[in-house]
Amino acid sequence: MLSQDQTTLDINTTRQGLIEITDQVQSWIAQTGITTGQITLFCRHTSASLTIQENADPDVVLDIETFFTQLVQENPSLYRHTCEGPDDMPAHIRASLTDVSLTIPVSQGRAVLGIWQGIYLFEHRHAAHHRQITLHLIGD
């Protein structure tokens, strides 16, 4: 019988960068009792995003963070929207280049990820922020 469940992960960030949330997502899926289906993760912010990336070699995360810093400059002379600080508009651009939503199959009570894949919240602001990720699981 098809059922669904929903929750919100509250994540406090301390800095700009990738924060792995795989264990929190897997733990919640296990608690629901749904073993086969699909989970959708939705980031409820315009200056943070979600991504699936390698979680085995920490250099991958560092390289991605470095790449985005170089790709989208924090130069207020480049933007009109500067009232929330020099990192705000670049954060919006970085979020638009990545994903605010992920959909992942669920099998045997776990999100189906590759051996080296992890789920990350990508904080694009420098200051600490309270972020919310809504999880919605549907299945049997």
Side-chain angles (χ1 to χ4, degrees), residues 1 13 17 23 31 37-38 42-43 47 61 66 73 81 91 94 105-106 115 118 120 134 138-139:
M1 180 172 179
T13 66
D23 289 344
Q31 292 173 17
Q38 180 174 289
F42 179 73
C43 180
S47 58
V61 168
T66 300
Q73 298 176 30
H81 176 73
R94 290 175 184 138
V106 171
I115 192 167
Y120 290 87
T134 298
I138 187 165

Side-chain angles (χ1 to χ4, degrees), residues 45 49 58 96 108 120 136:
H45 306 279
S49 58
S96 71
Q108 298 177 4
Y120 290 87
H136 182 249

Side-chain angles (χ1 to χ4, degrees), residues 45-130:
H45 306 279
T46 60
S47 58
S49 58
L50 298 167
T51 191
I52 294 176
Q53 202 41 257
E54 179 175 328
N55 64 356
D57 183 350
D59 284 341
V60 172
V61 168
L62 295 173
D63 286 344
I64 290 170
E65 292 171 358
T66 300
F67 175 80
F68 271 87
T69 299
Q70 293 171 357
L71 181 66
V72 185
Q73 298 176 30
E74 292 182 11
N75 178 349
S77 71
L78 298 174
Y79 312 109
R80 291 182 210 161
H81 176 73
T82 59
C83 60
E84 295 179 60
D87 69 333
D88 187 54
M89 191 60 219
H92 292 304
I93 294 169
R94 290 175 184 138
S96 71
L97 293 172
T98 51
D99 296 311
V100 295
S101 178
L102 300 172
T103 301
I104 305 168
V106 171
S107 180
Q108 298 177 4
R110 296 184 53 79
V112 179
L113 296 167
I115 192 167
W116 308 118
Q117 288 183 320
I119 304 167
Y120 290 87
L121 169 66
F122 200 168
E123 175 61 67
H124 300 297
R125 299 293 306 267
H126 290 292
H129 281 80
H130 176 80

